[in-house]
Amino acid sequence: MNSGDLLHIFLPMRPAVLPDAQRLQAWALKSGIRARIELTAVLPDIEGAALGIGAFANADAWKVIPQRALVPAGDWQGLRDWAEHYLPPCPHSFSCFSDQSQGTEILPGEFWLQEKTPDAFDLSMAPPEWALLQHCPKAGGPRLAVAESCTGGGLAARITALSGSSALLQHGMITYSNTAKRHFLGVQAKTLMRYGAVSEETALEMLNGLLQEADLGAAITGIAGPGGAVSGKPVGTVCIAWGQRNGQQQVRTCHFRGDRWNVQYASGSVALGGLLSLLCG
């Protein structure tokens, strides 16, 4: 493809595939190629370069034209290989997960940087949940548990969407209410009364509750919006803790922008980035 050409990226009606397409779109834009993402049940008969991600009923008939290609959902190696072969060279980027605006924001909470930093990773279009799974042995390695409040199980869903995730994820808990945080994770009533459910203190107690029965843990509690803001804690405020049993623990208060989905997705990405830093540090 040449600079200025339009790349069509087609997805089936599966929202889970959208982050794959957005990373490819970002890669194309950095290469000087315009890219448009479209949802469709049937691949259209169009001229020009096009890529389908996932399964479509008319896939066999559609991909016989050379400039068209199909990549299975979750095949980030295939996406990267296609991009390197058919798109102009893309400046090498490193993935960083944060609430701070830095580099180019690809997805909520996910930025591509031109320079390597201590908290940036060379993922080459792969999502952080896949990278985390690759850093853990397939058997007998550290087992992960997650506790989620405002993300409602979104982080666990991203991990379990991957084949082989049973080697990493031990369990996930949605402790949405204060009662659930107290009953299932041992968060103290006085902590909730003094600091509130959305606080670093509560996130750390959620994490330590998880680490009673897991090697690694991540805990998320926040205000995803559009309502729920309180004094000093606007919508988008999320406290995220991660750490190891009898080892290093970290907690961060983030302030994400955007709607409810943006806040939830970004929260999961920052938690995954923290766990990656823990394992790669």
Side-chain angles (χ1 to χ4, degrees):
M1 295 186 67
N2 298 315
S3 179
D5 289 348
L6 175 63
L7 167 65
H8 294 270
I9 305 172
F10 295 112
L11 307 181
M13 301 299 185
R14 289 180 53 203
V17 185
L18 183 57
D20 298 347
Q22 288 178 272
R23 292 186 183 94
L24 178 61
Q25 183 183 46
W27 183 298
L29 291 173
K30 289 174 76 68
S31 300
I33 300 294
R34 295 176 299 131
R36 184 166 65 199
I37 298 172
E38 303 175 45
L39 297 179
T40 180
V42 178
L43 291 164
D45 187 12
I46 64 167
E47 296 183 359
L51 182 75
I53 303 176
F56 299 88
N58 62 330
D60 289 340
W62 187 80
K63 66 181 180 181
V64 295
I65 298 177
Q67 63 265 38
R68 298 175 182 171
L70 278 172
V71 176
D75 183 3
W76 303 288
Q77 180 68 50
L79 278 178
R80 184 170 66 243
D81 290 347
W82 184 90
E84 290 177 342
H85 186 77
Y86 289 102
L87 298 181
C90 173
H92 193 83
S93 299
F94 300 91
S95 299
C96 178
F97 305 95
S98 174
D99 61 331
Q100 303 297 320
S101 178
Q102 49 186 306
T104 303
E105 187 169 23
I106 304 304
L107 284 157
E110 179 175 341
F111 299 84
W112 281 3
L113 311 179
Q114 296 303 115
E115 302 292 334
K116 181 73 170 69
T117 65
D119 59 348
F121 308 94
D122 186 2
L123 301 188
S124 298
M125 212 186 304
E129 56 268 28
W130 182 86
L132 182 65
L133 186 59
Q134 304 315 300
H135 278 87
C136 294
K138 297 300 182 184
R143 302 305 300 274
L144 171 69
V146 297
E148 303 183 61
S149 185
C150 65
T151 48
L155 174 56
R158 288 172 63 173
I159 296 170
T160 56
L162 303 176
S163 176
S165 57
S166 59
L168 171 63
L169 186 65
Q170 179 166 279
H171 63 269
M173 305 178 70
I174 303 174
T175 52
Y176 208 66
S177 68
N178 285 354
T179 299
K181 291 178 178 67
R182 292 176 57 190
H183 180 74
F184 294 107
L185 296 172
V187 176
Q188 299 181 72
K190 63 181 181 181
T191 301
L192 293 165
M193 287 291 293
R194 182 174 181 181
Y195 300 105
V198 182
S199 64
E200 294 187 356
E201 291 79 6
T202 294
L204 281 169
E205 289 193 10
M206 291 170 66
L207 173 63
N208 280 289
L210 286 173
L211 292 176
Q212 298 299 314
E213 299 183 8
D215 307 302
L216 298 170
I220 302 172
T221 178
I223 305 168
V230 298
S231 178
K233 298 176 184 178
V235 168
T237 302
V238 183
C239 298
I240 306 169
W242 60 88
Q244 299 168 303
R245 182 195 294 177
N246 301 322
Q248 183 182 3
Q249 296 183 6
Q250 294 188 35
V251 62
R252 180 186 302 173
T253 298
C254 296
H255 299 280
F256 298 114
R257 306 182 309 275
D259 61 15
R260 189 175 183 85
W261 183 86
N262 279 48
V263 173
Q264 292 174 326
Y265 191 88
S267 299
S269 290
V270 170
L272 288 163
L275 289 167
L276 275 174
S277 294
L278 201 63
L279 294 175
C280 302

